[in-house]
Amino acid sequence: MDAPPQRLLATTLVNALQPVVQLRPPCEQIALGRFERDGRSILLLVNVGRADYQGTLQTGWKGSCLILEPASSSIRAARWCNGTLPVSLRARQTLLFVATP
């Protein structure tokens, strides 16, 4: 005999539909791409606007993360703060966040 289907609570459904990666506060001027390369999770953030952006990035990642800036060829370790990454993007700036094993 089959078990009866379980009801989904609205909050359970909303949580299930939330993206794994979240930018807080949301901003229409920030483009966010997520992909994997050689077994590493990578996030690409681009500020396409004319104003600087300050916020946080919630990734769900465990462990360390590197921040790469293609324009300056700089690489630095990310500093986690209460499970989130502080994000500071100048106008037209691009950053890559790479999870390290």
Side-chain angles (χ1 to χ4, degrees):
M1 183 166 160
D2 291 334
Q6 294 182 355
R7 289 182 167 235
L8 285 177
L9 298 174
T11 54
T12 304
L13 186 56
V14 168
N15 289 338
L17 294 175
Q18 291 295 321
V20 174
V21 176
Q22 295 184 9
L23 193 61
R24 299 281 181 210
C27 179
E28 292 181 2
Q29 300 301 312
I30 305 297
L32 189 148
R34 184 174 148 225
F35 57 97
E36 287 200 18
R37 178 71 180 203
D38 296 329
R40 294 177 188 235
S41 294
I42 301 171
L43 298 175
L44 171 69
L45 269 73
V46 181
N47 184 348
V48 298
R50 295 182 182 161
D52 293 351
Y53 173 83
Q54 296 281 336
T56 60
L57 187 61
Q58 296 175 318
T59 64
W61 293 348
K62 305 288 186 217
S64 59
C65 173
L66 294 175
I67 302 174
L68 292 73
E69 184 179 10
S72 67
S73 300
S74 69
I75 300 173
R76 67 183 188 273
R79 298 190 189 280
W80 293 96
C81 181
N82 297 323
T84 63
L85 288 168
V87 173
S88 178
L89 283 166
R90 294 182 312 276
R92 310 281 195 242
Q93 184 181 19
T94 298
L95 293 177
L96 290 151
F97 293 79
V98 180
T100 55

